Amino acid sequence: MMDASDNQIDGLRLLLSGKLMEGADTVDVENPSTNTLLAKAPQASHAQLDNAIAAATRVSDWKQDDALRRATLRAMSEIMSANRDSLALTLSLEIGLPFKVAQDEISASATFLLYRAETEAPLDVLHDDARQRVEVVRKPIGVVGAIIPWNAPMLIACEKIATAFAVGNTVVMKPSPLAPLTLLQFGELVSDAVPPGVLSILPGGAELGAALVAHPQVGMISFTGSIRAGQAIMVNAAPGLKRLSLELGGNDAAIVLPDADIDSVAPRLFMGAFYRSGQVCAAIKRLYVHRDIAASLIEALRNVAETAVLGDPFDPAVTFGPLSNRQQFEIVKGLVDTAVSQGGSVATGGSPLNRPGNFFPPTLVTDVDESNPLVQQEQFGPALPILSYDSIDDAVDRANSTQFGLGGSVWTSDVDAGTAVVRRIQSGSVWVNRHGLVLPDTPFGGMKLSGLGRANGNVGFDSYAELQTVSVAKPREAKSR
């Protein structure tokens, strides 16, 4: 078993323009497995934020030096890979991920950095003939303010850093005060590999985030988090017409067609809903099952759920750790309790474990409809409402009758039929016989209130760039007499 006492997480410092320094204050970070103090993390002051932004603005060679940017991203990726277990240990301690899952997040984060080190921003040539050359190039915006959530801090941070750097931007990052430790450790590890001014990592609360958004020298805000917070960012960013990339909440629907192979799809549906205890923006959060197979699929899902092992994230036998913080634990518990009080039935789970920590088992809830808060809201935890339907048109209408539009999926033995149905789902990403797969080369983002812009792939460059049209008239040859 991994020994969590091996990690030194006290004394972490801010990364500010290439220098490691103490914060102006501290915040208590709890261990979600025990609800006891894990560490006191530094918090940045407004003056430190101003200094970081000023330093990021002064950087000049970075914008033009593509080779330097690639080398920096490659070096950061190598450092992450070399320190995978240490970073994963911190990640497990502060957000409760099973250690193996935390290792996977660190490896995926390194992959995102390496992907951008090895890809080029698109160059669109619209005309190139005897008369003219017209092309569209991607230019850096300047300083990108990156605001990171608590649920997958390392992966989301690296996705933002990688694309911002690849275009030529600098980054001032604000981790969540609920999960700052892994990013602070990352900052210490890469401090010598990143040119001064290019990256600062400054944890803080809502006031610091608001100051970052409103700062006149910040040209773009890249945010992952709730719809409400995203709306507030749009308001605060409006005076400066800042560029925005917003990946906001999701309430992803999965539709299981009547021809689905229950034994095959049940384990994959379960992981689509409950991976990382459901604390994933693109997790399955509503499950629509054809009435003919609903009872059989619920039984199959219950059988999978009852194999789950909750406990110490560093025990290799454990498959699910605690919810990442007490606030989210109370939200999930409240939604399940309300569902039951309004007539819902719990097929499995439903109650917290009788032990310290934020442990809530995978929970299946039936006998609810669209009016129930567990269906209406983004639960962001291990509680899945299961709803039956009679016609595919009805299932699609119900899946789309929401303000959310992040992801959706269809499950079937007929891939062509599933593809036809999934195209009708109003979400930024849709899948057939899978859910939530996000890759560095695949655009990802939301429709409706689930966000603006797209991350990843070539499309992702455009969210972090100003598009400039370059039109050149070519000299005409003199007419011969």
Side-chain angles (χ1 to χ4, degrees), residues 205-216:
E207 289 187 2
L208 194 74
L212 176 61
V213 171
H215 200 287

Side-chain angles (χ1 to χ4, degrees), residues 14 33 39 60 69 78 91 113 128 156 187 223 226 254 285 291 305 312 324-325 339 360 384 393 463 476:
L14 311 176
S33 295
S60 57
R69 299 198 304 270
E78 292 171 354
L91 189 61
L113 295 171
D128 191 10
I156 293 170
F223 170 75
S226 71
K285 299 184 175 76
R291 194 174 303 278
D312 180 357
S324 294
N325 55 77
F360 203 98
L384 179 66
D393 287 345
S463 293
R476 298 181 181 181

Side-chain angles (χ1 to χ4, degrees), residues 30 149 168 351 361 452 476:
E30 282 194 350
S351 300
L452 297 173
R476 298 181 181 181

Side-chain angles (χ1 to χ4, degrees), residues 173-241:
M173 177 172 292
K174 190 198 84 65
S176 167
L178 295 173
L181 301 175
T182 309
L183 286 175
L184 288 169
Q185 183 181 356
F186 167 73
E188 293 203 353
L189 289 169
V190 303
S191 59
D192 292 333
V194 181
V198 167
L199 175 66
S200 292
I201 300 176
L202 307 176
E207 289 187 2
L208 194 74
L212 176 61
V213 171
H215 200 287
Q217 291 179 299
V218 173
M220 175 188 171
I221 296 296
S222 180
F223 170 75
T224 300
S226 71
I227 290 174
R228 180 181 299 179
Q231 291 168 329
I233 285 171
M234 288 192 74
V235 171
N236 291 336
L241 290 179

Side-chain angles (χ1 to χ4, degrees), residues 15 24 27 49 89 95 103 142 152 162 168 186 191 196 218 240 268 275 295-297 370 375 388 437 471:
L15 175 62
V27 65
L49 177 67
L89 186 55
I95 68 171
Q103 287 177 310
F186 167 73
S191 59
V218 173
R268 289 179 285 154
Y275 179 64
S296 297
L297 182 57
E370 269 69 22
V375 181
S388 60
L437 181 66
S471 181

Side-chain angles (χ1 to χ4, degrees), residues 47 76 113 123 149 160 174 269 373 375 405 433 442 480:
M76 293 169 73
L113 295 171
L123 172 66
K160 297 181 189 302
K174 190 198 84 65
L269 284 167
V375 181
N433 293 333
T442 306
S480 59

Side-chain angles (χ1 to χ4, degrees), residues 78-434:
E78 292 171 354
I79 290 168
M80 289 196 73
S81 296
N83 292 275
R84 183 196 66 169
D85 287 356
S86 178
L87 288 164
L89 186 55
T90 303
L91 189 61
S92 288
L93 286 168
E94 73 172 334
I95 68 171
L97 284 183
F99 183 66
K100 175 61 170 66
V101 179
Q103 287 177 310
D104 291 342
E105 178 171 333
I106 303 304
S107 295
S109 303
T111 298
F112 269 75
L113 295 171
L114 187 60
Y115 168 75
R116 286 302 188 204
E118 297 179 347
T119 56
E120 294 185 5
L123 172 66
D124 302 331
V125 179
L126 308 182
H127 299 279
D128 191 10
D129 51 37
R131 295 180 56 249
Q132 63 180 338
R133 179 179 173 89
V134 180
E135 61 188 27
V136 178
V137 299
R138 275 75 181 169
K139 308 287 286 185
I141 295 169
V143 180
V144 173
I147 302 177
I148 311 301
W150 50 260
N151 64 306
M154 197 73 258
L155 182 64
I156 293 170
C158 284
E159 176 268 309
K160 297 181 189 302
I161 291 170
T163 308
F165 279 12
V167 179
N169 300 298
T170 55
V171 174
V172 175
M173 177 172 292
K174 190 198 84 65
S176 167
L178 295 173
L181 301 175
T182 309
L183 286 175
L184 288 169
Q185 183 181 356
F186 167 73
E188 293 203 353
L189 289 169
V190 303
S191 59
D192 292 333
V194 181
V198 167
L199 175 66
S200 292
I201 300 176
L202 307 176
E207 289 187 2
L208 194 74
L212 176 61
V213 171
H215 200 287
Q217 291 179 299
V218 173
M220 175 188 171
I221 296 296
S222 180
F223 170 75
T224 300
S226 71
I227 290 174
R228 180 181 299 179
Q231 291 168 329
I233 285 171
M234 288 192 74
V235 171
N236 291 336
L241 290 179
K242 297 182 190 297
R243 282 31 180 174
L244 296 173
S245 176
L246 305 176
E247 188 221 303
L248 307 180
N251 193 359
D252 292 14
I255 300 174
V256 184
L257 302 190
D259 69 342
D261 182 329
I262 291 173
D263 290 338
S264 173
V265 303
R268 289 179 285 154
L269 284 167
F270 180 83
M271 289 306 296
F274 293 106
Y275 179 64
R276 299 172 68 112
S277 298
Q279 297 172 116
V280 178
C281 55
I284 297 172
K285 299 184 175 76
R286 296 174 290 152
L287 182 59
Y288 293 91
V289 186
H290 194 276
R291 194 174 303 278
D292 289 349
I293 63 169
S296 297
L297 182 57
I298 291 167
E299 179 65 21
L301 288 169
R302 179 167 55 200
N303 291 337
V304 177
E306 291 178 354
T307 67
V309 180
L310 275 69
D312 180 357
F314 300 101
D315 183 342
V318 163
T319 55
F320 292 92
L323 292 178
S324 294
N325 55 77
R326 197 65 183 180
Q327 177 181 339
Q328 197 59 37
F329 172 89
E330 296 295 347
I331 289 172
V332 173
K333 182 179 181 300
L335 287 170
V336 172
D337 289 347
T338 299
V340 172
S341 72
Q342 295 182 1
S345 302
V346 174
T348 189
S351 300
L353 297 193
N354 185 21
R355 57 169 290 174
N358 306 327
F359 290 94
F360 203 98
T363 297
L364 304 174
V365 180
T366 63
D367 301 321
V368 291
D369 60 25
E370 269 69 22
S371 67
N372 195 282
L374 183 60
V375 181
Q376 285 286 313
Q377 300 177 28
E378 180 185 24
Q379 67 273 45
F380 215 72
L384 179 66
I386 303 175
L387 306 97
S388 60
Y389 70 89
D390 293 305
S391 73
I392 292 174
D393 287 345
D394 174 52
V396 171
D397 287 345
R398 290 160 69 188
N400 289 336
S401 62
T402 174
Q403 64 184 345
F404 299 96
L406 191 58
S409 60
V410 171
W411 300 75
T412 175
S413 294
D414 185 339
V415 172
D416 291 338
T419 303
V421 174
V422 86
R423 290 181 184 276
R424 298 168 59 188
I425 297 178
Q426 297 167 357
S427 297
S429 295
V430 293
W431 300 273
V432 176
N433 293 333
R434 57 170 44 154

